[in-house]
Amino acid sequence: MTMRSNSGGEAHPASVNPGLFRRFLDGLYLAGGILAGIFLIVILLLMMALSLGRPLGINIPAGDEFAAWSMAAMSFLGLAYTFKSGDMIRVGLIVDKFEGRKKQVIEVVALLIGLGFITFFAWHATSFTYYSWLLNDRATGVVPVPLWIPQLSYCGGLILLGIAFLDELIHVLMGGLPRYEKPKPKTAEEVIEQAIQSAV
């Protein structure tokens, strides 16, 4: 950590570089998205192995359970990246009717409500995972996996989404435009392009 000297000659820690912190947060969201993509590939491989293995008499122990856990991990770990990329489904019937200061206030209220709900769910998900670890709770299937391991993706994804909401709330409060909202299309080509991207 770099040190700066004030007029009295005393050194104190330099303030955090905002650009570095921004890159750290964006990297955190990207990591969640990459992990979600990896679990999507795991689901594909498991489903292919289960489908091809049954006719051949090859059994994958707890294959269905691992596929279900991977699906949950993919869903929750990808939430923050999806939100920050502007790809999360967003109903703007009310918000889009306003502009300027009024729209900013509505966005702040919406972010506060969303952050409240996510914090509530993240807190209870983390408590649930902690007690699973504390009680050594295990899966009842063929492979007795400690349940706190797959539950980590559940609480971790919610915590990451909460950080993303807080990040956006601070950004909008400081007067910035919401980064989770894609710019409105101005030409027919942009309308078609956004429709194609939404369908992918």
Side-chain angles (χ1 to χ4, degrees), residues 7-8 33 39 56 59-60 70 81-83 90 92 97 108 110 113 130 135 139 144 146 150 181 183 186 192:
S7 57
F39 278 107
L56 299 174
N59 181 40
I60 299 177
S70 297
Y81 181 75
T82 305
F83 171 69
R90 182 172 180 266
K97 294 183 182 295
V108 168
I113 293 171
Y130 170 70
L135 300 172
E181 182 181 22
K186 297 177 181 176
I192 295 170

Side-chain angles (χ1 to χ4, degrees), residues 122-134:
W123 173 265
H124 287 283
T126 304
S127 299
F128 186 66
T129 303
Y130 170 70
Y131 282 109
S132 290
W133 171 76
L134 201 63

Side-chain angles (χ1 to χ4, degrees), residues 113-190:
I113 293 171
L115 181 60
F117 275 108
I118 294 163
T119 303
F120 174 82
F121 288 124
W123 173 265
H124 287 283
T126 304
S127 299
F128 186 66
T129 303
Y130 170 70
Y131 282 109
S132 290
W133 171 76
L134 201 63
L135 300 172
N136 196 25
D137 198 10
R138 293 178 176 270
T140 56
V142 179
V143 181
V145 176
L147 286 177
W148 65 267
I149 296 176
Q151 288 167 0
L152 277 177
S153 63
Y154 167 49
C155 63
L158 286 172
I159 291 171
L160 194 57
L161 181 60
I163 293 171
F165 260 75
L166 181 60
D167 181 15
E168 280 301 304
L169 176 61
I170 294 170
H171 176 70
V172 174
L173 281 172
M174 294 176 66
L177 294 174
R179 291 170 292 199
Y180 51 81
E181 182 181 22
K182 289 187 175 180
K184 294 180 181 179
K186 297 177 181 176
T187 63
E189 289 79 10
E190 289 180 357

Side-chain angles (χ1 to χ4, degrees), residues 8-32:
E10 296 177 358
H12 59 84
S15 58
V16 177
N17 185 345
L20 183 63
F21 190 61
R22 175 78 269 144
R23 287 197 298 273
F24 168 75
L25 287 177
D26 290 341
L28 205 59
Y29 307 139
L30 179 60

